[in-house]
Amino acid sequence: MYETLIAPVLFPGKSMLRVLVQRLAYYWTKKGIDMNQTLSGERERFLLFILTFFLAVSAPFLPIFGAFFFLLWSAPAAVLYVRQGRGPGIAAMLTGAVVQGAILGAEYVAQSLFIVLSLAITMAEGIRQHRPGTVILVRGLLASVAGGIASLGFLQLVYGIAPFSMFLESAHGSMEMIQSALQPAASREGLAKLEEIVGYIAPSVLFFEAATALLLHYQFMRRLFYRLGMGEPMALPPFSTWKLPVWFFYLFGFSMVGLYWGGTREIDLLYRVSINGELIAMLAGLIEGFSLFWYIAERFSLSPIFRWSLVFFTILSAIMMQIVAFTGLFDTYFDYRRRFSDRRNS
């Protein structure tokens, strides 16, 4: 399906890029292929290098998938780093970075480059050292966040661009487009307030960007490793057993206090830090809450269709999302699963 549908749409005619996409789709979708037997080391290196180059070049030009490709393109290079050594992997990463910088300008892609390159190298090194999957993901998230912060310093020192100014300009342009279509003054005032809040949560957007890059890399690399016959080098425990640290619960509590103090006493820095802390804690609460729901669903043997239907309708409701997040945050402290198990054993 991929080689017969996607390639003709992206590249009509008998172009070399279309043939390349068809070959990549063939290796990606063919069931049960053992690429260790069908590909030599040299061909595997070439395939992964070309896949990295293709994703890096496509990112600026694809209107929908390009946003994901910006956070994903270094995943094949990380697989190359693991399979063929540090030299070919880093060469592929540098090639993709140079291509994107030449197309868009270094100042426009610096943030995504710092995030994905630090993430890819950290995950690849973790796999080469045979670290557990949870350790690889936690280190990858920390490395990608550190890369995003380093990119802010790089832009400030080299180009004189203030931190988050490009994001805020983009958000301001979007708000102006929306305001031009709205007539009531109340709606315009509401958008102005929304734009102010977006300026407050810019650091959280950086964190969410790093987390999204981590998720995309994990899924893409996991699939590539399977196709290359390596199994599951980043295996994670079942989702129903995930347990996040209790400090997310404390982070949420301190953020609530900080929001009150910062808002009532007009301490702008405290308010900004607290609102970002609250968003990160709520994201952790959502993950923990859905993990707890998955544990309950497995305990009562709910069908997968019913589980995913509940998850889908929960995501559509803001109130239900808050309930799940609060439940997850309390679970990090009280550990309801342990209590259920103790009660079941007694």
Side-chain angles (χ1 to χ4, degrees), residues 78-89:
V79 176
L80 180 61
Y81 189 106
V82 175
R83 297 277 295 178
Q84 302 289 339
R86 297 181 177 88

Side-chain angles (χ1 to χ4, degrees), residues 28-344:
W28 182 264
T29 59
K30 187 178 179 182
K31 303 298 182 183
I33 187 172
D34 185 357
M35 297 183 76
N36 281 319
Q37 297 179 3
T38 58
L39 287 179
S40 64
E42 191 172 319
R43 289 185 177 180
E44 179 184 296
R45 187 183 307 121
F46 175 77
L47 178 66
L48 291 173
F49 188 92
I50 291 299
L51 183 56
T52 303
F53 181 82
F54 170 74
L55 293 176
V57 172
S58 302
F61 302 106
L62 295 180
I64 299 177
F65 297 102
F68 295 100
F69 284 4
F70 270 117
L71 302 177
L72 173 66
W73 67 265
S74 60
V79 176
L80 180 61
Y81 189 106
V82 175
R83 297 277 295 178
Q84 302 289 339
R86 297 181 177 88
I90 292 178
M93 295 178 193
L94 291 178
T95 301
V98 170
V99 167
Q100 284 197 348
I103 294 174
L104 294 178
E107 65 273 20
Y108 292 102
V109 297
Q111 182 169 316
S112 63
L113 289 181
F114 274 78
I115 288 176
V116 299
L117 293 181
S118 57
L119 171 62
I121 293 174
T122 302
M123 293 182 71
E125 277 294 330
I127 296 171
R128 287 176 62 91
Q129 297 171 8
H130 304 287
R131 302 290 185 184
T134 52
V135 174
I136 293 174
L137 292 190
V138 170
R139 290 183 177 180
L141 180 61
L142 295 176
S144 57
V145 171
I149 296 174
S151 69
L152 300 178
F154 172 80
L155 291 173
Q156 177 70 48
L157 293 175
V158 177
Y159 294 98
I161 300 176
F164 305 113
S165 62
M166 299 177 69
F167 167 75
L168 295 177
E169 289 177 4
S170 176
H172 179 70
S174 301
M175 294 296 176
E176 284 186 342
M177 291 178 60
I178 298 175
Q179 284 181 354
S180 62
L182 296 176
Q183 298 299 329
S187 300
R188 294 176 179 270
E189 293 177 1
L191 278 178
K193 184 63 176 178
L194 178 60
E195 184 177 355
E196 182 182 357
I197 295 176
V198 170
Y200 285 150
I201 66 173
S204 293
V205 173
L206 177 65
F207 177 84
F208 294 148
E209 183 180 359
T212 303
L214 174 67
L215 178 62
L216 292 173
H217 273 70
Y218 172 75
Q219 292 294 341
F220 197 85
M221 291 172 65
R222 186 166 163 264
R223 178 112 183 182
L224 274 179
F225 281 130
Y226 173 75
R227 294 301 172 196
L228 292 170
M230 286 187 64
E232 288 280 352
M234 297 184 293
L236 295 176
F239 183 59
S240 59
T241 63
W242 285 20
K243 185 70 172 63
L244 297 182
V246 69
W247 60 263
F248 282 112
F249 178 80
Y250 297 121
L251 174 63
F252 180 77
F254 287 126
S255 298
M256 290 294 97
V257 175
L259 284 173
Y260 173 75
W261 278 77
T264 57
R265 304 180 185 277
E266 298 183 353
I267 307 176
D268 186 65
L269 179 60
L270 178 60
Y271 188 84
R272 289 175 180 271
V273 172
S274 299
I275 195 172
N276 285 279
E278 180 202 5
L279 288 175
I280 295 173
M282 290 293 284
L283 175 63
L286 279 174
I287 297 173
E288 183 82 7
F290 281 120
S291 175
L292 177 62
F293 166 74
W294 222 250
Y295 169 82
I296 297 173
E298 289 182 353
R299 184 176 180 182
F300 290 97
S301 301
L302 299 180
S303 65
I305 296 178
F306 186 68
R307 298 181 201 179
W308 285 108
S309 298
L310 287 177
V311 171
F312 176 74
F313 287 113
T314 300
I315 294 174
L316 293 180
S317 172
I319 296 177
M320 290 301 298
M321 290 280 282
Q322 290 183 2
I323 293 175
V324 171
F326 286 133
T327 304
L329 286 172
F330 280 102
D331 183 58
T332 60
Y333 185 83
F334 293 105
D335 196 358
Y336 297 124
R337 279 166 280 199
R338 179 178 58 81
R339 294 171 182 267
F340 293 153
S341 300
D342 293 342
R343 188 175 302 174
R344 196 179 199 182

